[in-house]
Amino acid sequence: MFNWMETVAWFLRSDNHKYGYDMDPYAIFSEKDDEAAQRGRDVYVSVEEKEKAFVRVKIDPEVKNDFHLYKVENGIVDKTDLVDAKEACSKNKCVDEVELSEGNYVVYYGDEAMERYLRVISYPLKKEKVIFVPFGDINAPGCNKDGRNGCYTQDDVQDVVDKIFSQAVMKITVEKKDPEDIGLDKYLTVELSEPSPSLAVLDKIHNTETYGYFRELEDYNNSDDETQSFAKQTLETKYNRIKTNKIVLAINQMRIQWQFDKESSDEFNNYSALEQAIEKNGGKNLSMKMKSSCGGGEVTVTFSGKNPKEDGSFTPVGLPSIKNGCTYTLYADVVPFIPEQPKGAQVTHNYNEELFCESDETLDECNERTKHLPSPGGIVWGSHQEGEASLNTLAHEIGHSFGLTDIYIAADDPTYAPRYARYFAVDESNLMGWQLPTGMRLRYRPLFIASTLYGNLIDDPDGGYAIEKQWECVRSYKKCSSLKESLK
């Protein structure tokens, strides 16, 4: 009997191939022969235009005399054999490495087509840019694990980006900018006196001439009937230019601070952020510095809080005496985190169309309508993690800035690393897995997408569940999930 489980991987990835390779992992680890056969029918390989793909062809030694690889052109099989099965089995353990041009290929046993297809997909090289903005020391506390440094350098991020986006025949240049170039300071100071501290950081970026649109937004909001049309056109032009940027805030260190005076010293904002800072820095309280506009130098404050309210306000504990007429700044350099997301380390703030909501819809209705719109850019809030996981997670967020959606990973998926602790799981795991981006694989075959918070499947308005072809998506955000198809 022919055994699919032994021969299903007929097209294997070659170390000489520098682009994408996509074989359904279920084809290897399915417990049913018929499922493995169906899952393994198609293997996809990407290649740059006018180049050839390197592919290793595995041959069943029992049929080496009848094994053939043919090209299919315009639906017609060209029976010019592209492998020498006998030679490969005599010298190379029944594996033959071949160079193949764009097109479709099929395996035959004698005169019988075996429904095993290789699809070589050709793309023109696409060039893009990611703006890399580092904050703090690359040897900051909390970076290292098992000898791996999780803090971000331009070279490390460039290496990871090269490996990932080459799968879609893309060259991404990681361009370094200093924090002041995007309106921020070298510490990435997060003002916890603000109701939404991380959005306040983004507002600083959007107030800059190069990366902002706030001036145009203000002009539009202040326009009258005569100037409104022009002001809106100006705003849209600037916003459409800004929203294609992909800015990575590579946060190795972060500074949190509260600013207050005598009147506001009995109640602070953002208790959850204080808890995060204390937890990240390994204590029951937080050692902070406090300085006054009235002079006198900095003092060290052991800071905590009590009586937190639902709105995030709380009573500060540990403040020294406060004088009337002075303003104070209480600050600490901490292991970075996202102030509004207690369980999150990194997030991408994508640009959407909420600025241009329909006149007859509320903001909530507008946000619901636009939440799956193509997202051609964004700002990555990249708090470092420990060791290798740090770069994988940052790469995941960069993927979001190119429009990629989180991918649904079923519990029995052989690439589900928390369950399958084999090398294959980590090596083949999808970068955009909603729960654990352990691997770097992007795929051409359509994959189900998932909600970021819960990992559940997303309904397609036309029925079934939404899907995404990742190679197509990262090359053009208009080709991202099926929910976006009608929005081209």
Side-chain angles (χ1 to χ4, degrees):
M1 291 292 291
F2 175 71
N3 191 335
W4 283 103
M5 296 300 289
E6 293 178 0
T7 62
V8 72
W10 280 343
F11 303 111
L12 306 175
R13 184 179 179 277
S14 167
D15 290 339
N16 293 315
H17 188 69
K18 59 182 179 180
Y19 301 107
Y21 169 83
D22 177 14
M23 181 186 69
D24 190 334
Y26 277 99
I28 296 292
F29 288 101
S30 173
E31 295 178 357
K32 299 177 181 178
D33 284 2
D34 56 347
E35 182 182 27
Q38 184 62 29
R39 293 275 196 167
R41 287 180 73 250
D42 296 281
V43 173
Y44 302 90
V45 176
S46 64
V47 70
E48 185 178 348
E49 279 184 341
K50 299 181 181 179
E51 289 191 15
K52 290 190 175 182
F54 289 89
V55 181
R56 294 166 62 228
V57 181
K58 182 178 178 181
I59 300 156
D60 183 352
E62 297 296 321
V63 292
K64 63 185 177 183
N65 295 329
D66 293 315
F67 187 101
H68 307 285
L69 178 65
Y70 298 139
K71 189 169 186 179
V72 182
E73 297 187 276
N74 300 318
I76 299 173
V77 178
D78 177 0
K79 291 193 174 181
T80 302
D81 207 348
L82 300 171
V83 300
D84 189 334
K86 294 179 184 178
E87 180 76 7
C89 285
S90 66
K91 294 183 177 179
N92 302 314
K93 297 182 180 179
C94 283
V95 174
D96 191 16
E97 179 157 304
V98 295
E99 297 180 53
L100 302 173
S101 57
E102 175 187 10
N104 298 315
Y105 299 83
V106 61
V107 168
Y108 268 66
Y109 280 6
D111 294 327
E112 182 183 359
M114 301 306 295
E115 295 188 351
R116 310 298 290 170
Y117 300 100
L118 177 69
R119 319 287 189 183
V120 179
I121 302 166
S122 172
Y123 293 112
L125 181 65
K126 184 176 177 63
K127 297 183 179 181
E128 291 276 0
K129 179 175 68 175
V130 166
I131 299 167
F132 175 81
V133 188
F135 297 87
D137 186 354
I138 63 171
N139 294 303
C143 286
N144 290 288
K145 183 178 182 180
D146 300 328
R148 288 280 183 99
N149 192 323
C151 276
Y152 303 119
T153 69
Q154 182 182 8
D155 289 343
D156 287 342
V157 174
Q158 181 70 70
D159 286 346
V160 170
V161 164
D162 286 343
K163 291 175 184 176
I164 291 166
F165 289 95
S166 63
Q167 296 175 76
V169 193
M170 297 176 69
K171 174 61 180 175
I172 312 298
T173 300
V174 177
E175 181 180 309
K176 184 178 178 180
K177 296 283 186 182
D178 292 328
E180 55 264 30
D181 293 333
I182 63 168
L184 302 176
D185 59 75
K186 64 180 180 178
Y187 299 106
L188 188 66
T189 300
V190 177
E191 181 54 71
L192 296 179
S193 304
E194 297 282 351
S196 179
S198 61
L199 290 181
V201 171
L202 302 186
D203 285 351
K204 292 179 181 179
I205 299 173
H206 292 142
N207 267 310
T208 63
E209 176 63 27
T210 305
Y211 303 104
Y213 58 91
F214 275 12
R215 187 180 67 182
E216 290 77 13
L217 180 61
E218 183 179 4
D219 291 344
Y220 171 67
N221 290 334
N222 293 331
S223 61
D224 53 29
D225 291 341
E226 292 184 3
T227 61
Q228 188 177 65
S229 177
F230 177 76
K232 183 177 182 180
Q233 183 179 4
T234 303
L235 171 60
E236 288 181 341
T237 299
K238 185 67 176 288
Y239 185 75
N240 285 334
R241 180 168 67 86
I242 296 306
K243 73 178 186 179
T244 59
N245 283 308
K246 300 159 183 68
I247 300 174
V248 175
L249 308 183
I251 310 169
N252 297 325
Q253 286 181 292
M254 184 174 89
R255 173 169 290 184
I256 60 170
Q257 70 177 34
W258 282 273
Q259 293 182 317
F260 60 97
D261 54 22
K262 178 70 173 179
E263 186 176 346
S264 61
S265 63
D266 60 344
E267 190 171 88
F268 278 38
N269 286 336
N270 291 298
Y271 182 76
S272 64
L274 173 62
E275 286 188 310
Q276 284 174 271
I278 290 173
E279 179 183 357
K280 290 280 186 180
N281 289 270
K284 295 183 179 180
N285 301 303
L286 189 63
S287 179
M288 304 188 73
K289 299 288 186 180
M290 192 173 84
K291 55 187 177 182
S292 168
S293 64
C294 296
E298 293 182 337
V299 296
T300 299
V301 175
T302 301
F303 192 71
S304 62
K306 64 179 182 180
N307 304 324
K309 301 178 182 177
E310 288 187 4
D311 65 359
S313 61
F314 65 96
T315 303
V317 176
L319 291 180
S321 60
I322 305 301
K323 298 179 181 178
N324 282 316
C326 301
T327 57
Y328 296 85
T329 301
L330 182 69
Y331 74 92
D333 294 329
V334 298
V335 175
F337 59 91
I338 308 172
E340 286 90 348
Q341 297 194 19
K343 295 184 179 180
Q346 308 197 25
V347 67
T348 300
H349 301 272
N350 284 112
Y351 294 99
N352 58 37
E353 307 301 319
E354 67 180 34
L355 281 175
F356 311 111
C357 295
E358 301 296 337
S359 59
D360 60 347
E361 64 183 351
T362 66
L363 182 58
D364 285 344
E365 291 171 336
C366 180
N367 287 336
E368 179 65 24
R369 177 176 62 82
T370 62
K371 68 181 180 180
H372 290 300
L373 279 169
S375 302
I379 299 175
V380 174
W381 183 290
S383 304
H384 81 70
Q385 295 175 286
E386 296 179 331
E388 186 176 7
S390 196
L391 278 170
N392 286 344
T393 310
L394 188 71
H396 173 101
E397 297 303 333
I398 292 173
H400 281 314
S401 75
F402 278 90
L404 288 172
T405 312
D406 283 338
I407 295 300
Y408 173 78
I409 306 291
D412 64 346
D413 190 311
T415 69
Y416 184 58
R419 179 172 178 178
Y420 297 102
R422 55 167 78 94
Y423 176 77
F424 179 87
V426 175
D427 186 50
E428 292 293 321
S429 182
N430 198 289
L431 174 75
M432 302 310 296
W434 77 274
Q435 188 178 38
L436 193 65
T438 53
M440 298 184 185
R441 184 72 68 200
L442 298 179
R443 299 192 182 277
Y444 175 82
R445 72 186 62 246
L447 301 174
F448 290 120
I449 61 174
S451 64
T452 295
L453 291 179
Y454 305 107
N456 55 290
L457 290 163
I458 296 175
D459 292 331
D460 190 310
D462 296 327
Y465 298 110
I467 58 171
E468 190 162 273
K469 290 183 175 181
Q470 293 179 313
W471 295 355
E472 299 282 324
C473 173
V474 295
R475 291 184 61 85
S476 171
Y477 69 91
K478 293 181 179 179
K479 294 184 178 180
C480 293
S481 82
S482 61
L483 291 182
K484 305 165 187 176
E485 287 297 309
S486 63
L487 302 169
K488 289 182 180 179

